[in-house]
Each structure stands twice: as C-alpha cells, then as structure tokens.
C-alpha cells in the first residue's frame, strides 16, 4: 500500500512539513476553489503540484500529488438538468489535464446534494479527545423541526421521532444553529456550501428523482467519462455514501456491496473503480469490509481506512468515529485482504499493484484540540491512525512472520 495523506491546499493548518514527519509517501488533494463543473486547467494543476513539492522553507518535499479527491460531479450531472452536458465535457477535459500532469487516480462521489454528513464535530470520547459523530436523533430533530421537510416523519421510526421532539425542545438557539451548520454548510471537501433555503431548493429539485433514476444518471456519467479515463490512463474511483443510507429523502445509490457490484457491471472497465472507505461503508452492519475487498478488490483503486463505533444494529443508526483499529470493522482482516489483492495484481503483472491508502479522519487528541484544523483532519489523530495502520501492514507483510506469500 502507498501511504498517502489528504491536504486541502495552502490554507490547510496541517502542512506539507507536518505530513513528512508523519511518514507520508504521497499526497491526496483537490482544487477546492474551482467551481464544480468547470475545467481544472493545466496551470492550476501545476500550481498545486508545485505547492505540494516544497516545504515551508522552499526546499523540495519529495512528495507528489498522487490522488485527486475529489473531482466533484455537479448537481446538474446528477439531475441531468441545466448545464449537464457541458459539465460532462469539462469533466473529461479535467481528466485529460490531470493525466497530462502525471496523475492517475481520481476519486469522486455520486451523493446528491449532501456529501459526508455529521451532526457533531467535537463529540467527547472516553479518553478526553474528540471525534465526529452522526446522531440519528439530532439529525431527525434537524429534519423534522428545523428544516421542516414535508414527509420527513415517514422516514423515522416513532421512537426516533419522539426522542427528536424531546431533544429539539431542549435545544437553545445556539445549539440549533450549530446543528444546522454542521449538516447544511458542508464539511471539508464538500462541493457545496448551503444555507437552509438552498438546501430546501435542492431537495425540491430531487422530488422526482428516484434511486433508479439517479442510478441511470450515474451510468450515463460513467458512459461519458470512462472512455476518456481509459484513453488517458486514469483510474476513476467512486467514494461510497457517507453515511450509507438515504438522508432527507434523497436517494443514495453507493451504500452497499450490491450497489457497487451493479455500477461496476454497468460500465465494465478497469477505469471504473472503487474508493473503498471502511468508515463510510462500516456504518452499516450489513457491509462486510474484508469480504468486499476480497470480492471487489480487482477494481479498488484507493482506500480510506478508518473505523466507526455503531451505536445500533439498524441500517439507519447513530455512530461515532472510533480509533482506526477499534470499532466495527476488523481492520487487520481488511488489510490482509488488501495485501492479498496487491500480491494477485503483482503476479498478474499489473502496473497498479500498489494501492494508495490514506488514514481517513482522526480523533482530535493532544495538540489537535487547540489547532482547529479541518474537522476530521487533525495532524496528530491522523498521524496516530497512520502509525497504527502502518504497524499492522508491516507485520502482515513481514517475510517470516507475516502472511505466507
Ligand atoms: C470525507 C471524505 C469525503 C470524500 C468525498 C469523495 O472525509 O471522505 O468528503 O472526499 O465524498 O468524493
């Protein structure tokens, strides 16, 4: 595995210098300032590469931009409305420009309106640090009583609705604002930053779009961009829905193994691949991550390694972001499945036999608590996650004590 690390660009409070000390080998980044749907120009790409290539004092970092996360898909493309055809052409153009700059792995997602969603960005865990949390009762309180979405009541069991009413009654204005901000304003990397009214407008536009329609729009997107990716040597990889169940009545179509299998088959090309995110998929009890790696591994081009603690055994439930080796996913088994896949690829002579991984998210611990880096992306919490994962990877790959090769 290639040990990579997400960097949000020069404004990121965790610097290139920091990641060198964490033992990072490659960088994951995106041009967050370019509007969704527009072309990523060669000049902009080159500038980000230069920023990644130097330390604070101007000396070379030795690091390169290896993975794009994300080249966002516009709402127009997801809805097949407005500028969607132009956006598809621009997407292809961006892929060409990225390939010309030597970048081969491009991650994106196909979640309508909301990207990853949490209700609490600073949930206190037992050791005193904080992490991100999705609380279904808080989310329902937002949906039912702040957003006041029509039909929302049908989407939650009665026990959750009652708890949400009680929770909402106990919230002061500051808490309501905070909850709205956490859900609607977009977490780091999200393509859209929205007000409550924007969110209502977006939701209204999705009224007629079922999961089946969204899936057909997704296939049309892939039919347009995968041939370009094939031609220029890019491996596209779709990130799962986070959390992996419908939110606010919006369809979500990349939440399960069956969802991935269907999309991989719909456009059956190695360029149409997967970002296996153990944290997102692991929030659902019916997703078996090591098994998914074994069965779909051939098309996994990028790995997000993190773990969640599930607070319920329902598909739709609360969870918080646990330490990388704790939580619901058997991380050792998952890493073993990745190593086995890498060996298979190597034996088959595939160029892409080393799969990039990044320690996804991290709890805020020690000095993270005062640094205020991007939510979910602290320096020490991620460094700890990477170090733990690296330990397991090293042990599993050991020629004498590790997995038999
Ligand atoms: C969250 C991230 C996601 C991811 C996008 C990929 O931490 O994993 O925002 O970048 O969904 O398109």
């Amino acid at each position: 595995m290639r040990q990579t690390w997400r960097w949000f660009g020069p404004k990121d409070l965790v610097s290139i210098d920091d990641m060198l000390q964490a033992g990072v080998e490659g960088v994951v980044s995106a041009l967050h300032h370019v509007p969704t749907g527009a072309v990523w120009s060669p000049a902009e790409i080159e500038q980000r590469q230069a920023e990644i290539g130097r330390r604070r004092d101007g000396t070379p970092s030795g690091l390169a931009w290896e993975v794009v996360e994300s080249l966002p898909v516009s709402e127009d493309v997801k809805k097949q409305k407005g500028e969607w055809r132009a956006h598809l052409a621009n997407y292809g153009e961006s892929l060409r420009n990225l390939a010309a700059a030597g970048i081969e792995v491009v991650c994106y997602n196909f979640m309508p309106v909301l990207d990853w969603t949490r209700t609490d960005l600073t949930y206190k865990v037992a050791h005193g640090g904080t992490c991100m949390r999705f609380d279904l009762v808080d989310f329902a309180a937002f949906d039912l009583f702040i957003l006041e979405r029509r039909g929302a009541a049908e989407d939650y069991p009665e026990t959750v609705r009652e708890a949400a009413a009680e929770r909402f009654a106990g919230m002061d204005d500051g808490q309501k604002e905070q909850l709205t901000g956490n859900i609607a304003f977009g977490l780091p990397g999200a393509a859209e930053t929205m007000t409550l009214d924007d969110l209502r407008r977006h939701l209204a536009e999705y009224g007629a779009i079922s999961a089946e329609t969204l899936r057909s729009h997704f296939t049309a997107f892939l039919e347009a961009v995968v041939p370009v990716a094939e031609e220029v040597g890019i491996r596209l990889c779709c990130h799962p829905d986070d959390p992996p169940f419908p939110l606010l009545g919006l369809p979500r179509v990349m939440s399960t193994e069956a969802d991935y299998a269907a999309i991989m088959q719909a456009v059956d090309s190695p360029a149409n691949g997967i970002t296996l995110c153990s944290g997102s998929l692991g929030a659902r009890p019916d997703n078996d991550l090591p098994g998914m790696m074994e069965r779909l591994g051939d098309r996994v081009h990028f790995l997000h390694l993190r773990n969640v603690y599930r607070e319920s055994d329902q598909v739709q439930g609360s969870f918080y972001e646990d330490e990388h080796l704790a939580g619901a996913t058997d991380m050792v088994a998952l890493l073993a499945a990745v190593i086995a896949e890498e060996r298979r690829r190597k034996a088959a002579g595939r160029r892409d036999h080393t799969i990039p991984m990044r320690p996804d998210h991290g709890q805020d611990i020690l000095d993270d608590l005062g640094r205020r880096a991007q939510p979910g992306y602290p320096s020490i919490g991620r460094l700890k996650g990477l170090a733990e994962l690296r330990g397991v990877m090293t042990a599993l790959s050991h020629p004498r004590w590790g997995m038999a090769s």
Side-chain angles (χ1 to χ4, degrees), residues 6 69-70 107-109 111 115-116 188-190 239-240 242 277 304 358 360-361 377:
R6 190 173 195 181
E69 177 180 351
S70 292
C107 167
Y108 66 97
N109 72 75
M111 286 175 253
D115 192 312
W116 60 305
H239 187 280
D242 182 4
C277 175
H304 283 183
R358 66 175 182 80
D360 196 18
H361 303 183
Y377 290 88

Side-chain angles (χ1 to χ4, degrees), residues 127-139:
H127 59 49
T130 65
C131 72
M132 308 187 95
R133 177 155 191 268
F134 179 87
D135 183 309
L136 187 63
V137 172
D138 279 337
F139 191 80

Side-chain angles (χ1 to χ4, degrees), residues 247-270:
L247 294 180
L248 306 179
L250 292 163
R252 292 198 146 190
V253 297
M254 290 303 263
S255 297
T256 63
E257 180 168 352
D259 288 340
Y260 269 100
I263 285 295
M264 291 306 107
Q265 216 181 357
V267 178
D268 196 9
S269 157

Side-chain angles (χ1 to χ4, degrees), residues 7 14-23 51-52 54-59 61 63:
W7 191 55
V14 184
S15 66
I16 296 290
D17 293 49
D18 292 336
M19 65 180 92
L20 281 169
Q21 291 179 29
E51 289 157 354
I52 290 170
R54 58 176 180 257
R55 300 179 196 222
R56 206 173 281 133
D57 65 4
T59 57
S61 68
L63 294 173

Side-chain angles (χ1 to χ4, degrees), residues 53-197:
R54 58 176 180 257
R55 300 179 196 222
R56 206 173 281 133
D57 65 4
T59 57
S61 68
L63 294 173
W65 185 4
E66 298 185 4
V67 178
V68 166
E69 177 180 351
S70 292
L71 180 57
V73 180
S74 73
E75 287 300 314
D76 279 4
V77 167
K78 291 175 200 157
K79 289 181 296 202
Q80 290 200 350
K81 275 199 180 150
E83 302 291 303
W84 71 283
R85 286 180 199 282
H87 289 174
L88 283 181
N90 290 351
Y91 205 96
E93 190 66 24
S94 298
L95 292 180
R96 287 182 195 283
N97 293 342
L98 287 164
I103 297 169
E104 294 182 9
V105 181
V106 175
C107 167
Y108 66 97
N109 72 75
F110 217 81
M111 286 175 253
V113 188
L114 299 175
D115 192 312
W116 60 305
T117 302
R118 301 288 182 271
T119 55
D120 189 348
L121 312 186
T122 52
Y123 174 68
K124 201 144 185 169
V125 279
H127 59 49
T130 65
C131 72
M132 308 187 95
R133 177 155 191 268
F134 179 87
D135 183 309
L136 187 63
V137 172
D138 279 337
F139 191 80
F142 167 78
D143 195 3
L144 293 161
F145 308 116
I146 299 178
L147 187 64
E148 297 178 315
R149 180 173 63 88
R150 200 177 305 138
E154 289 150 37
D155 291 349
Y156 305 97
E158 198 184 334
T159 47
V160 173
R161 287 199 310 262
E162 282 172 9
E166 201 174 308
R167 183 85 51 92
F168 183 71
M171 282 183 198
D172 62 26
D173 287 350
Q175 287 167 316
K176 290 177 195 165
E177 238 170 76
Q178 177 81 48
L179 180 62
T180 305
N182 293 348
I183 296 171
F185 298 168
L187 291 172
E192 314 283 337
T193 303
M194 286 174 289
T195 63
L196 219 45
D197 281 340

